[in-house]
Structure formats: C-alpha cells, structure tokens
Amino acid sequence: MDWQREDLKYIWHPCSQMKDYETLLPIVIERGEGINLYDTNGKCYKDVISSWWCNLLGHCNPRINQAVKKQIDTLEHVIFANFSHKTVIRLCQELIKVLPKGLCKFNFADNGSSAIEMALKMSFQYHYQTGNTQKKKFMALTDAYHGETLAALAVGGVDLYSELYKPIMMDVLRVEAPDCFRCPLGKCRENCSCECFVKAEEMFAKYADETSAIIVEPLLQGSAGMKIYPPIYLKKLRALCDKYNVHLIADEIATGYGRTGKMFAFDHAGVSPDIMCLSKGLTGGYMPMAIAVTTQKIYDAFYDDYLKGKAFMHSHTYAGNPLACSAALEVLKILDEENIIEKANKRAVYFNKIIKEKFLPHKNVGEVRSIGLINAIELVADKNTKEPLDYTMRTGYQIYQKALEKGVLLRPLGDVIYFNPPLIIEEDDMDYVTDIALQSLKDILG
Ligand SMILES: *Cc1c(COP(=O)(O)O)cnc(C)c1O
C-alpha cells in the first residue's frame, strides 16, 4: 500500500496548504519511542518539537502506557455532570499541590482552545454576576496565540491565523507586547526593567472599566516565534489587574509542565493568575485534555440556588475523560518521582551552550534565545540591522524540508527555527539534532 498517496486521497491536514504536499508528501508514522518517530519505511525522525509541543516524556513512555492500559480495562468514559470517577479526583488532588497558590477549582475541556473559551466566558460571567455588567471586553497582547476557535482566535494577534476572519470575530483591546529582540525603547535583555509595561498601563487607564480580563502567554509567546520576555512583566501585570478589578488569565497551554524550567511560567514571577489554562503536556501528549483552573473567589460568584441562573452552563462531552486523566495523573507522578524538571534544567544549560556555539557565528542568525529546554534561532537578512529575511522565500520551510530528509523534525515558525524537545532528551541527541539543523541551515543559506 502506498500510504502517502492514500493519505492524500482523504485527509485535509491542519495548518497546511495542501498543494505543498505535492512536493513534500505526508510522512506516515508507524511507531514512536522516546524522542524518535519511525515511518512506514523504518526511517527515524527526531521529534525535537514534541509533536506540536505536547509530548513531554517521550513517545510510548512505558509508565504512561501502563497507566492508560489499566484505566481502559476499568472505565473508558462517563458523563461528567453529576458523575465523577476516582482518577479525576486524584488528578486534582495532585495538581493542586503544584499549581500557583489560590488555583483550586478545575473545569475540564478536551483541547486548549476550548479551555480559553471557557476562561473568557467564566471571567465575563463573574463580572456580570458581581455587578460589573459593563465589563464586556478582553485585552490581549499583540502577537498572542491562544488557539483557533473564534473567541480564542479573536484574543490572538497572529495575523497569519486570524486576519481573514476579522469580520466574524469579537473586538479585542490590544496591548503592545514586549519585544525584547527588537526593543522599540532600544533596551536589551540585560539592561531592561520592562519599561515597555507603560503600554499596558496606558491601556488599563483608558479601558479597564469596560475590561473583564487580560489574557497572556506568560514569558513565552510561542506561535509568534518563541518570543521571550521577563517575569517582571507578569508581576507588574498582576498588580495592575488587582488595581483595576480585571482578571488575569494565564494561557499556560504551551508554557506549563516544565517547559520554561519551572512547573509553570507564572512560578518565575511568584504571582498567581485568576484563571489558568492548561493542555499541552498535561497528558504527556497522549490524549486531548484541557483544564481551566480558577480561584475560590471566582467559583463562589456562580454558587447559588438554581433558579438564580448563575451556574456556568458550559460543557464538553469528553470533559474529565478517565483515559486522559489516567495519563495526566501518571505524568505528574513521573515528573515528581524521577525529578524530570530538575534534570532537564541541567541538560538545558548544555543544550543552550552548543546551540549558541554552533549557530551564533552564522551570518543570518540574529539571536539565539532560550527558556528551559526551548531554544529559538531567529534568522535575519542582516545581523546588525536585524532586518528580517524576505518571507516570500520561505527560508524556514526550506530548512524544515532539508532537516526532514536528514531525519530531524523541526517545523520552524516562519523564519524562526526552534527546539522544544521532550524533557527527557539526552546530550547525544542534542549534539545530533543541532548538527543536522545547522547543516540544513547551511544547505539553504550558505
Ligand atoms: C496550542 C495552544 C493553544 C490551543 O490549543 P489547542 O489544543 O490546539 O486548541 C492555545 N494557547 C497556546 C499558548 C497554545 O500553544
């Protein structure tokens, strides 16, 4: 069977111009192990982007496999209104131990975008039910990414995904995000105390009264090209939100679960959001699941006699799915028992060092930035002016193709090449994938 041609007969792949598949056929994966994926011809690909950032502890992790197998023979799924099960309760008991202080009420969904929708609705309804019916707007950062359902897309600010749909989306108040690579205030990472936060202050001074919440990807704007900004921004934002009675929604879908070197990105700032969204990493990349977790205070604003009409009437069929919960519970156990994040942080120092050594000398590398095991290499036309490459050349895409030929799965964001590997990646694989990535870059840019 020609699996690749059969695939194209039926499947419309996500986030793809299907015409591109004429020259780059879909890669049909047969099995996975650790950071390795094997296609139907037995060719190995190193998955250093964690299969869209969700695989945390390697493919076919023996412990998670075992946990899911055990669950599947006990209970596969059950309605989650009025009904519950032990695995989800245990999961909440464990999660609450590692979440930022104050987050204690868990609402389940089955994908990240849905958790964002839930957070936005929850925030609006809280204000509505506590006498602030004028708070109908949301604030979000430029270049933000929060998923691709309509409200999630609306708070997002990456034109590539949202521009076309603007006529059918809600209006959002846009705060200029920190841009530490091309700082408009002429600062650099070493000498900055987040002077750009004044942009947020200005927006709050004007619009906070009508604003329900501000949503942010803490410390790392992933889809924008792995843009990294300092924790002090979150600290200042927390204070500003408190001053104006605006909720702070943390989209930790990509940053949670040790990706930034701590369990959650908010842990770097030592403050808590009012609502936190989790998904990628939550089940180790095994099963679709998401959570919007919030505070007792928000929860209480919905708690009343039924006929008062204050309930949160939001549901997803697969909310609290036991199979996903069994994977999620095992992930937390592994992180804890095997000291995964601590060990990953040690290897992250090595990873960043070799990436800087290998890539920084190249004439088209504008910056190497990193947080946790995430390392991004921003390609530019000119190192000094930081002028971007001509995007119509699709340089990142060409490098992606070259690296695939050589057995490394990179999938750059435009002209930003990045690594966001499973936390268990070892030094020899770091050596190998960075060599291949550099070779692929040189193949295209000389
Ligand atoms: C992936 C992602 C989402 C959306 O999650 P889906 O499960 O793809 O809907 C939202 N926010 C961030 C930061 C993400 O990385």
PDB file of all heavy atoms in Angstrom, residues 165-195:
ATOM      1  N   TYR A 165     -10.465  36.251   9.252  1.00  0.00           N
ATOM      2  CA  TYR A 165     -11.738  36.015   9.954  1.00  0.00           C
ATOM      3  C   TYR A 165     -12.223  37.225  10.743  1.00  0.00           C
ATOM      4  O   TYR A 165     -13.231  37.152  11.436  1.00  0.00           O
ATOM      5  CB  TYR A 165     -11.593  34.807  10.892  1.00  0.00           C
ATOM      6  CG  TYR A 165     -11.117  33.568  10.166  1.00  0.00           C
ATOM      7  CD1 TYR A 165      -9.802  33.131  10.280  1.00  0.00           C
ATOM      8  CD2 TYR A 165     -11.972  32.850   9.325  1.00  0.00           C
ATOM      9  CE1 TYR A 165      -9.357  32.012   9.594  1.00  0.00           C
ATOM     10  CE2 TYR A 165     -11.532  31.733   8.627  1.00  0.00           C
ATOM     11  CZ  TYR A 165     -10.218  31.321   8.770  1.00  0.00           C
ATOM     12  OH  TYR A 165      -9.781  30.221   8.084  1.00  0.00           O
ATOM     13  N   LYS A 166     -11.480  38.348  10.661  1.00  0.00           N
ATOM     14  CA  LYS A 166     -11.833  39.512  11.478  1.00  0.00           C
ATOM     15  C   LYS A 166     -13.294  39.932  11.345  1.00  0.00           C
ATOM     16  O   LYS A 166     -13.905  40.313  12.345  1.00  0.00           O
ATOM     17  CB  LYS A 166     -10.868  40.668  11.217  1.00  0.00           C
ATOM     18  CG  LYS A 166      -9.552  40.397  11.940  1.00  0.00           C
ATOM     19  CD  LYS A 166      -8.628  41.574  12.088  1.00  0.00           C
ATOM     20  CE  LYS A 166      -7.427  41.123  12.936  1.00  0.00           C
ATOM     21  NZ  LYS A 166      -6.167  41.696  12.541  1.00  0.00           N
ATOM     22  N   PRO A 167     -13.877  39.844  10.132  1.00  0.00           N
ATOM     23  CA  PRO A 167     -15.294  40.259  10.025  1.00  0.00           C
ATOM     24  C   PRO A 167     -16.251  39.442  10.894  1.00  0.00           C
ATOM     25  O   PRO A 167     -17.359  39.888  11.161  1.00  0.00           O
ATOM     26  CB  PRO A 167     -15.601  40.026   8.535  1.00  0.00           C
ATOM     27  CG  PRO A 167     -14.286  40.005   7.849  1.00  0.00           C
ATOM     28  CD  PRO A 167     -13.285  39.503   8.846  1.00  0.00           C
ATOM     29  N   ILE A 168     -15.847  38.260  11.318  1.00  0.00           N
ATOM     30  CA  ILE A 168     -16.772  37.443  12.131  1.00  0.00           C
ATOM     31  C   ILE A 168     -16.262  37.229  13.558  1.00  0.00           C
ATOM     32  O   ILE A 168     -16.701  36.330  14.259  1.00  0.00           O
ATOM     33  CB  ILE A 168     -17.057  36.072  11.459  1.00  0.00           C
ATOM     34  CG1 ILE A 168     -15.756  35.339  11.128  1.00  0.00           C
ATOM     35  CG2 ILE A 168     -17.906  36.244  10.215  1.00  0.00           C
ATOM     36  CD1 ILE A 168     -15.957  33.876  10.728  1.00  0.00           C
ATOM     37  N   MET A 169     -15.317  38.090  13.992  1.00  0.00           N
ATOM     38  CA  MET A 169     -14.779  37.915  15.345  1.00  0.00           C
ATOM     39  C   MET A 169     -15.093  39.105  16.253  1.00  0.00           C
ATOM     40  O   MET A 169     -15.267  40.210  15.775  1.00  0.00           O
ATOM     41  CB  MET A 169     -13.262  37.743  15.297  1.00  0.00           C
ATOM     42  CG  MET A 169     -12.851  36.446  14.655  1.00  0.00           C
ATOM     43  SD  MET A 169     -11.083  36.111  14.726  1.00  0.00           S
ATOM     44  CE  MET A 169     -10.329  37.689  14.585  1.00  0.00           C
ATOM     45  N   MET A 170     -15.098  38.860  17.584  1.00  0.00           N
ATOM     46  CA  MET A 170     -15.309  39.971  18.521  1.00  0.00           C
ATOM     47  C   MET A 170     -14.088  40.897  18.525  1.00  0.00           C
ATOM     48  O   MET A 170     -12.979  40.485  18.205  1.00  0.00           O
ATOM     49  CB  MET A 170     -15.564  39.436  19.935  1.00  0.00           C
ATOM     50  CG  MET A 170     -14.384  38.762  20.584  1.00  0.00           C
ATOM     51  SD  MET A 170     -14.765  38.332  22.305  1.00  0.00           S
ATOM     52  CE  MET A 170     -13.296  37.415  22.735  1.00  0.00           C
ATOM     53  N   ASP A 171     -14.350  42.161  18.899  1.00  0.00           N
ATOM     54  CA  ASP A 171     -13.270  43.145  19.006  1.00  0.00           C
ATOM     55  C   ASP A 171     -12.500  42.949  20.298  1.00  0.00           C
ATOM     56  O   ASP A 171     -13.104  42.737  21.342  1.00  0.00           O
ATOM     57  CB  ASP A 171     -13.855  44.562  19.018  1.00  0.00           C
ATOM     58  CG  ASP A 171     -13.993  45.097  17.609  1.00  0.00           C
ATOM     59  OD1 ASP A 171     -13.260  44.600  16.727  1.00  0.00           O
ATOM     60  OD2 ASP A 171     -14.833  45.992  17.393  1.00  0.00           O
ATOM     61  N   VAL A 172     -11.197  43.075  20.216  1.00  0.00           N
ATOM     62  CA  VAL A 172     -10.364  42.890  21.402  1.00  0.00           C
ATOM     63  C   VAL A 172      -9.453  44.108  21.565  1.00  0.00           C
ATOM     64  O   VAL A 172      -8.990  44.683  20.586  1.00  0.00           O
ATOM     65  CB  VAL A 172      -9.548  41.580  21.258  1.00  0.00           C
ATOM     66  CG1 VAL A 172      -8.399  41.527  22.242  1.00  0.00           C
ATOM     67  CG2 VAL A 172     -10.456  40.366  21.437  1.00  0.00           C
ATOM     68  N   LEU A 173      -9.231  44.504  22.813  1.00  0.00           N
ATOM     69  CA  LEU A 173      -8.319  45.624  23.098  1.00  0.00           C
ATOM     70  C   LEU A 173      -6.889  45.089  23.078  1.00  0.00           C
ATOM     71  O   LEU A 173      -6.567  44.138  23.781  1.00  0.00           O
ATOM     72  CB  LEU A 173      -8.640  46.223  24.466  1.00  0.00           C
ATOM     73  CG  LEU A 173     -10.052  46.801  24.602  1.00  0.00           C
ATOM     74  CD1 LEU A 173     -10.439  46.952  26.076  1.00  0.00           C
ATOM     75  CD2 LEU A 173     -10.140  48.147  23.887  1.00  0.00           C
ATOM     76  N   ARG A 174      -6.061  45.700  22.278  1.00  0.00           N
ATOM     77  CA  ARG A 174      -4.730  45.144  22.032  1.00  0.00           C
ATOM     78  C   ARG A 174      -3.655  45.922  22.771  1.00  0.00           C
ATOM     79  O   ARG A 174      -3.564  47.140  22.643  1.00  0.00           O
ATOM     80  CB  ARG A 174      -4.490  45.183  20.519  1.00  0.00           C
ATOM     81  CG  ARG A 174      -3.379  44.315  20.004  1.00  0.00           C
ATOM     82  CD  ARG A 174      -3.608  42.830  20.184  1.00  0.00           C
ATOM     83  NE  ARG A 174      -4.765  42.303  19.486  1.00  0.00           N
ATOM     84  CZ  ARG A 174      -5.199  41.058  19.616  1.00  0.00           C
ATOM     85  NH1 ARG A 174      -4.582  40.202  20.414  1.00  0.00           N
ATOM     86  NH2 ARG A 174      -6.258  40.655  18.960  1.00  0.00           N
ATOM     87  N   VAL A 175      -2.878  45.215  23.575  1.00  0.00           N
ATOM     88  CA  VAL A 175      -1.753  45.826  24.293  1.00  0.00           C
ATOM     89  C   VAL A 175      -0.465  45.427  23.579  1.00  0.00           C
ATOM     90  O   VAL A 175      -0.253  44.243  23.303  1.00  0.00           O
ATOM     91  CB  VAL A 175      -1.698  45.320  25.755  1.00  0.00           C
ATOM     92  CG1 VAL A 175      -0.476  45.877  26.482  1.00  0.00           C
ATOM     93  CG2 VAL A 175      -2.978  45.684  26.497  1.00  0.00           C
ATOM     94  N   GLU A 176       0.371  46.419  23.299  1.00  0.00           N
ATOM     95  CA  GLU A 176       1.624  46.103  22.610  1.00  0.00           C
ATOM     96  C   GLU A 176       2.507  45.231  23.503  1.00  0.00           C
ATOM     97  O   GLU A 176       2.845  45.599  24.622  1.00  0.00           O
ATOM     98  CB  GLU A 176       2.342  47.402  22.250  1.00  0.00           C
ATOM     99  CG  GLU A 176       3.399  47.213  21.175  1.00  0.00           C
ATOM    100  CD  GLU A 176       4.069  48.528  20.812  1.00  0.00           C
ATOM    101  OE1 GLU A 176       3.342  49.538  20.614  1.00  0.00           O
ATOM    102  OE2 GLU A 176       5.307  48.549  20.748  1.00  0.00           O
ATOM    103  N   ALA A 177       2.854  44.059  22.987  1.00  0.00           N
ATOM    104  CA  ALA A 177       3.634  43.093  23.776  1.00  0.00           C
ATOM    105  C   ALA A 177       5.098  43.503  23.845  1.00  0.00           C
ATOM    106  O   ALA A 177       5.585  44.232  22.982  1.00  0.00           O
ATOM    107  CB  ALA A 177       3.522  41.715  23.135  1.00  0.00           C
ATOM    108  N   PRO A 178       5.806  43.026  24.878  1.00  0.00           N
ATOM    109  CA  PRO A 178       7.250  43.258  24.916  1.00  0.00           C
ATOM    110  C   PRO A 178       7.895  42.624  23.680  1.00  0.00           C
ATOM    111  O   PRO A 178       7.454  41.572  23.236  1.00  0.00           O
ATOM    112  CB  PRO A 178       7.710  42.515  26.173  1.00  0.00           C
ATOM    113  CG  PRO A 178       6.491  42.166  26.940  1.00  0.00           C
ATOM    114  CD  PRO A 178       5.342  42.189  26.001  1.00  0.00           C
ATOM    115  N   ASP A 179       8.888  43.284  23.131  1.00  0.00           N
ATOM    116  CA  ASP A 179       9.626  42.705  22.010  1.00  0.00           C
ATOM    117  C   ASP A 179      11.103  42.844  22.341  1.00  0.00           C
ATOM    118  O   ASP A 179      11.742  43.846  22.027  1.00  0.00           O
ATOM    119  CB  ASP A 179       9.291  43.446  20.702  1.00  0.00           C
ATOM    120  CG  ASP A 179       9.957  42.802  19.494  1.00  0.00           C
ATOM    121  OD1 ASP A 179      10.837  41.928  19.696  1.00  0.00           O
ATOM    122  OD2 ASP A 179       9.606  43.178  18.362  1.00  0.00           O
ATOM    123  N   CYS A 180      11.652  41.872  23.015  1.00  0.00           N
ATOM    124  CA  CYS A 180      12.999  42.011  23.577  1.00  0.00           C
ATOM    125  C   CYS A 180      14.095  41.866  22.534  1.00  0.00           C
ATOM    126  O   CYS A 180      15.228  42.281  22.780  1.00  0.00           O
ATOM    127  CB  CYS A 180      13.193  41.013  24.712  1.00  0.00           C
ATOM    128  SG  CYS A 180      11.952  41.178  26.006  1.00  0.00           S
ATOM    129  N   PHE A 181      13.797  41.287  21.380  1.00  0.00           N
ATOM    130  CA  PHE A 181      14.811  41.190  20.325  1.00  0.00           C
ATOM    131  C   PHE A 181      14.908  42.513  19.564  1.00  0.00           C
ATOM    132  O   PHE A 181      15.986  43.010  19.286  1.00  0.00           O
ATOM    133  CB  PHE A 181      14.479  40.025  19.380  1.00  0.00           C
ATOM    134  CG  PHE A 181      15.423  39.890  18.208  1.00  0.00           C
ATOM    135  CD1 PHE A 181      16.807  39.903  18.400  1.00  0.00           C
ATOM    136  CD2 PHE A 181      14.931  39.732  16.916  1.00  0.00           C
ATOM    137  CE1 PHE A 181      17.679  39.769  17.321  1.00  0.00           C
ATOM    138  CE2 PHE A 181      15.803  39.600  15.839  1.00  0.00           C
ATOM    139  CZ  PHE A 181      17.177  39.620  16.038  1.00  0.00           C
ATOM    140  N   ARG A 182      13.749  43.076  19.236  1.00  0.00           N
ATOM    141  CA  ARG A 182      13.746  44.366  18.525  1.00  0.00           C
ATOM    142  C   ARG A 182      13.077  45.420  19.422  1.00  0.00           C
ATOM    143  O   ARG A 182      12.042  45.977  19.077  1.00  0.00           O
ATOM    144  CB  ARG A 182      12.999  44.242  17.198  1.00  0.00           C
ATOM    145  CG  ARG A 182      13.653  43.301  16.197  1.00  0.00           C
ATOM    146  CD  ARG A 182      12.948  43.340  14.847  1.00  0.00           C
ATOM    147  NE  ARG A 182      13.598  42.492  13.861  1.00  0.00           N
ATOM    148  CZ  ARG A 182      13.320  41.202  13.662  1.00  0.00           C
ATOM    149  NH1 ARG A 182      12.376  40.610  14.372  1.00  0.00           N
ATOM    150  NH2 ARG A 182      13.961  40.497  12.749  1.00  0.00           N
ATOM    151  N   CYS A 183      13.649  45.665  20.593  1.00  0.00           N
ATOM    152  CA  CYS A 183      13.016  46.544  21.583  1.00  0.00           C
ATOM    153  C   CYS A 183      12.829  47.958  21.031  1.00  0.00           C
ATOM    154  O   CYS A 183      13.790  48.616  20.632  1.00  0.00           O
ATOM    155  CB  CYS A 183      13.852  46.598  22.860  1.00  0.00           C
ATOM    156  SG  CYS A 183      13.151  47.734  24.077  1.00  0.00           S
ATOM    157  N   PRO A 184      11.578  48.437  21.023  1.00  0.00           N
ATOM    158  CA  PRO A 184      11.333  49.789  20.494  1.00  0.00           C
ATOM    159  C   PRO A 184      11.954  50.876  21.381  1.00  0.00           C
ATOM    160  O   PRO A 184      12.131  52.006  20.933  1.00  0.00           O
ATOM    161  CB  PRO A 184       9.804  49.899  20.474  1.00  0.00           C
ATOM    162  CG  PRO A 184       9.288  48.807  21.336  1.00  0.00           C
ATOM    163  CD  PRO A 184      10.357  47.762  21.450  1.00  0.00           C
ATOM    164  N   LEU A 185      12.295  50.536  22.632  1.00  0.00           N
ATOM    165  CA  LEU A 185      12.898  51.520  23.528  1.00  0.00           C
ATOM    166  C   LEU A 185      14.422  51.435  23.523  1.00  0.00           C
ATOM    167  O   LEU A 185      15.098  52.096  24.317  1.00  0.00           O
ATOM    168  CB  LEU A 185      12.361  51.330  24.953  1.00  0.00           C
ATOM    169  CG  LEU A 185      10.839  51.457  25.096  1.00  0.00           C
ATOM    170  CD1 LEU A 185      10.370  51.032  26.477  1.00  0.00           C
ATOM    171  CD2 LEU A 185      10.387  52.881  24.799  1.00  0.00           C
ATOM    172  N   GLY A 186      14.939  50.590  22.643  1.00  0.00           N
ATOM    173  CA  GLY A 186      16.383  50.486  22.497  1.00  0.00           C
ATOM    174  C   GLY A 186      17.095  49.766  23.628  1.00  0.00           C
ATOM    175  O   GLY A 186      18.309  49.857  23.781  1.00  0.00           O
ATOM    176  N   LYS A 187      16.332  49.054  24.455  1.00  0.00           N
ATOM    177  CA  LYS A 187      16.936  48.296  25.561  1.00  0.00           C
ATOM    178  C   LYS A 187      17.382  46.921  25.056  1.00  0.00           C
ATOM    179  O   LYS A 187      16.973  46.485  23.983  1.00  0.00           O
ATOM    180  CB  LYS A 187      15.903  48.105  26.672  1.00  0.00           C
ATOM    181  CG  LYS A 187      15.383  49.398  27.253  1.00  0.00           C
ATOM    182  CD  LYS A 187      16.197  49.759  28.453  1.00  0.00           C
ATOM    183  CE  LYS A 187      15.906  51.184  28.914  1.00  0.00           C
ATOM    184  NZ  LYS A 187      16.723  51.528  30.065  1.00  0.00           N
ATOM    185  N   CYS A 188      18.204  46.247  25.857  1.00  0.00           N
ATOM    186  CA  CYS A 188      18.461  44.844  25.557  1.00  0.00           C
ATOM    187  C   CYS A 188      18.137  44.032  26.807  1.00  0.00           C
ATOM    188  O   CYS A 188      17.897  44.584  27.876  1.00  0.00           O
ATOM    189  CB  CYS A 188      19.885  44.633  25.078  1.00  0.00           C
ATOM    190  SG  CYS A 188      21.118  45.190  26.233  1.00  0.00           S
ATOM    191  N   ARG A 189      18.109  42.719  26.640  1.00  0.00           N
ATOM    192  CA  ARG A 189      17.628  41.849  27.724  1.00  0.00           C
ATOM    193  C   ARG A 189      18.348  42.117  29.042  1.00  0.00           C
ATOM    194  O   ARG A 189      17.778  42.008  30.119  1.00  0.00           O
ATOM    195  CB  ARG A 189      17.801  40.382  27.334  1.00  0.00           C
ATOM    196  CG  ARG A 189      16.828  39.938  26.255  1.00  0.00           C
ATOM    197  CD  ARG A 189      16.993  38.472  25.911  1.00  0.00           C
ATOM    198  NE  ARG A 189      16.373  38.172  24.622  1.00  0.00           N
ATOM    199  CZ  ARG A 189      15.089  37.926  24.430  1.00  0.00           C
ATOM    200  NH1 ARG A 189      14.263  37.919  25.450  1.00  0.00           N
ATOM    201  NH2 ARG A 189      14.620  37.685  23.233  1.00  0.00           N
ATOM    202  N   GLU A 190      19.648  42.470  28.964  1.00  0.00           N
ATOM    203  CA  GLU A 190      20.464  42.600  30.176  1.00  0.00           C
ATOM    204  C   GLU A 190      20.165  43.885  30.950  1.00  0.00           C
ATOM    205  O   GLU A 190      20.378  43.959  32.143  1.00  0.00           O
ATOM    206  CB  GLU A 190      21.964  42.568  29.828  1.00  0.00           C
ATOM    207  CG  GLU A 190      22.464  41.230  29.264  1.00  0.00           C
ATOM    208  CD  GLU A 190      21.956  40.932  27.844  1.00  0.00           C
ATOM    209  OE1 GLU A 190      21.884  41.878  27.036  1.00  0.00           O
ATOM    210  OE2 GLU A 190      21.594  39.781  27.559  1.00  0.00           O
ATOM    211  N   ASN A 191      19.691  44.938  30.258  1.00  0.00           N
ATOM    212  CA  ASN A 191      19.555  46.226  30.952  1.00  0.00           C
ATOM    213  C   ASN A 191      18.111  46.723  30.991  1.00  0.00           C
ATOM    214  O   ASN A 191      17.847  47.912  30.984  1.00  0.00           O
ATOM    215  CB  ASN A 191      20.470  47.282  30.309  1.00  0.00           C
ATOM    216  CG  ASN A 191      19.976  47.701  28.930  1.00  0.00           C
ATOM    217  OD1 ASN A 191      18.935  47.238  28.473  1.00  0.00           O
ATOM    218  ND2 ASN A 191      20.706  48.569  28.272  1.00  0.00           N
ATOM    219  N   CYS A 192      17.178  45.794  31.038  1.00  0.00           N
ATOM    220  CA  CYS A 192      15.777  46.195  30.948  1.00  0.00           C
ATOM    221  C   CYS A 192      15.047  45.943  32.254  1.00  0.00           C
ATOM    222  O   CYS A 192      15.285  44.948  32.930  1.00  0.00           O
ATOM    223  CB  CYS A 192      15.113  45.428  29.809  1.00  0.00           C
ATOM    224  SG  CYS A 192      13.497  44.753  30.154  1.00  0.00           S
ATOM    225  N   SER A 193      14.167  46.865  32.648  1.00  0.00           N
ATOM    226  CA  SER A 193      13.265  46.554  33.758  1.00  0.00           C
ATOM    227  C   SER A 193      11.829  46.725  33.281  1.00  0.00           C
ATOM    228  O   SER A 193      10.977  47.258  33.973  1.00  0.00           O
ATOM    229  CB  SER A 193      13.584  47.402  34.985  1.00  0.00           C
ATOM    230  OG  SER A 193      13.930  48.715  34.602  1.00  0.00           O
ATOM    231  N   CYS A 194      11.630  46.302  32.050  1.00  0.00           N
ATOM    232  CA  CYS A 194      10.289  46.261  31.466  1.00  0.00           C
ATOM    233  C   CYS A 194       9.661  47.645  31.349  1.00  0.00           C
ATOM    234  O   CYS A 194       8.506  47.848  31.716  1.00  0.00           O
ATOM    235  CB  CYS A 194       9.394  45.343  32.265  1.00  0.00           C
ATOM    236  SG  CYS A 194       8.875  43.934  31.325  1.00  0.00           S
ATOM    237  N   GLU A 195      10.432  48.590  30.843  1.00  0.00           N
ATOM    238  CA  GLU A 195       9.911  49.945  30.618  1.00  0.00           C
ATOM    239  C   GLU A 195       8.698  49.911  29.680  1.00  0.00           C
ATOM    240  O   GLU A 195       7.817  50.763  29.744  1.00  0.00           O
ATOM    241  CB  GLU A 195      11.003  50.845  30.025  1.00  0.00           C
ATOM    242  CG  GLU A 195      12.079  51.267  31.016  1.00  0.00           C
ATOM    243  CD  GLU A 195      13.151  50.211  31.279  1.00  0.00           C
ATOM    244  OE1 GLU A 195      13.034  49.080  30.746  1.00  0.00           O
ATOM    245  OE2 GLU A 195      14.104  50.513  32.035  1.00  0.00           O
TER     246      GLU A 195
END
